[in-house]
């Protein structure tokens, strides 16, 4: 499968999902965005690229920290969600970012590298658009300790007869490539990033109500779907 094929399949997974994503998945993604940006240097006044911005969990927090933000995502509907309250955005491929070299002071890539067949290529591209001396922070889901709720919910939908579509099978086939601190560090080094610092840590999302866990796991879509599955993740700075 080519990188373009993978991108097309990943985009399918988010078609029509923007409202449900913002209402459900961001219950978990919001706190994890906070944890990611806590690893970033001073953000106030910086021009920062939100890579794989989705419905804006990271963008909103960058703005609150005083950063100037440009968002990029492969899905136009995700970027269009409540666009009037969000920073400037452009539809683009993370592996071919529509920006000149050294355009931004930093980049944040929250839970997007684990959706790619070639995450190293994406890190190389992020390095290209970040000015010398800038920063990249990125996070993926750890494969070390998957939560029991994830398996329980997936088991229920499987029992109900749900069959994973092709886009979901693709995402699961590449998910976990960077699911440990060691593989995250190796990818950063392969992308020739400097001063690499990787941690694998739990993030308390505060989501304890079973109904909210299901909202996160099964957004209100045309078909049930399963999103990334742990509240822990290594980050690259």
């Amino acid at each position: 499968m080519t990188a373009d094929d993978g991108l097309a399949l990943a985009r399918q997974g988010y078609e029509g999902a923007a409202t449900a994503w913002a209402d459900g998945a961001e219950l978990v993604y919001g706190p994890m965005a906070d944890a990611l940006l806590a690893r970033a240097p001073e953000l106030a006044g910086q021009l920062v690229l939100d890579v794989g911005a989705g419905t804006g969990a990271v963008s909103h927090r960058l703005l609150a920290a005083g950063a100037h933000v440009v968002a990029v995502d492969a899905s136009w509907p995700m970027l269009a969600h409540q666009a009037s309250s969000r920073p400037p955005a452009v539809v683009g491929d993370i592996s071919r970012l529509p920006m000149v070299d050294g355009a931004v002071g930093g980049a944040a890539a929250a839970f997007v590298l684990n959706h790619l067949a070639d995450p190293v290529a994406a890190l190389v591209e992020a390095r290209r658009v970040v000015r010398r001396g800038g920063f990249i922070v990125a996070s993926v889901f750890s494969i070390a300790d998957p939560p029991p709720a994830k398996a329980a919910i997936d088991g229920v939908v499987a029992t109900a007869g749900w069959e994973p579509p092709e886009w979901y099978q693709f995402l699961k086939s590449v998910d976990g490539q960077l699911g440990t601190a060691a593989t995250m560090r190796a990818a950063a080094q392969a992308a020739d990033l400097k001063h690499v610092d990787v941690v694998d840590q739990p993030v308390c999302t505060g989501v304890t109500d079973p109904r909210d866990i299901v909202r996160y796991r099964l957004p209100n879509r045309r078909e049930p779907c399963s999103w990334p599955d742990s509240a822990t993740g290594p980050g690259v700075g």
Side-chain angles (χ1 to χ4, degrees):
M1 179 179 294
T2 68
D4 287 342
D5 292 335
L7 180 66
L9 285 173
R11 187 184 288 116
Q12 285 179 28
Y14 293 93
E15 290 300 318
T19 299
W21 183 269
D23 179 61
E26 284 192 18
L27 293 169
V28 167
Y29 277 72
M32 289 194 288
D34 289 329
L36 173 63
L37 295 181
R39 306 279 298 167
E42 177 61 41
L43 292 168
Q46 291 264 30
L47 179 59
V48 182
L49 181 66
D50 182 3
V51 185
T55 53
V58 171
S59 289
H60 290 311
R61 288 161 173 80
L62 287 169
L63 290 172
H68 307 291
V69 184
V70 176
V72 62
D73 196 280
S75 171
W76 165 247
M78 295 290 276
L79 290 176
H81 179 73
Q82 296 185 348
S84 63
S85 63
R86 297 174 61 183
V90 61
V91 176
D93 179 352
I94 187 174
S95 299
R96 295 188 293 269
L97 291 169
M99 307 186 80
V100 299
D101 296 358
V104 296
F111 308 105
V112 62
L113 297 178
N114 48 298
H115 287 352
L116 305 175
D118 188 355
V120 172
L123 286 172
V124 169
E125 185 67 351
R127 176 172 58 83
R128 179 186 68 79
V129 303
V130 172
R131 62 169 172 75
R132 186 176 181 85
F135 69 89
I136 298 171
V137 288
S139 52
V140 301
F141 287 88
S142 173
I143 61 174
D145 188 23
K150 176 261 182 184
I153 294 170
D154 285 5
V156 169
V157 296
T159 300
W162 180 67
E163 296 184 3
E166 186 179 10
W167 64 262
Y168 179 80
Q169 294 178 49
F170 165 74
L171 292 182
K172 298 309 290 184
S173 74
V174 298
D175 193 26
Q177 290 185 96
L178 304 182
T180 67
T183 53
M184 196 72 161
R185 182 177 294 106
Q189 292 170 341
D192 200 27
L193 299 183
K194 308 300 182 185
H195 310 297
V196 176
D197 179 27
V198 181
V199 296
D200 192 340
Q201 67 182 43
V203 175
C204 181
T205 65
V207 180
T208 58
D209 188 311
R211 291 166 296 186
D212 287 338
I213 295 172
V214 172
R215 280 173 60 201
Y216 154 66
R217 193 65 183 162
L218 302 175
N220 183 22
R221 294 164 52 95
R222 291 164 297 177
E223 57 186 0
C225 59
S226 184
W227 301 105
D229 47 21
S230 173
T232 63
V236 174

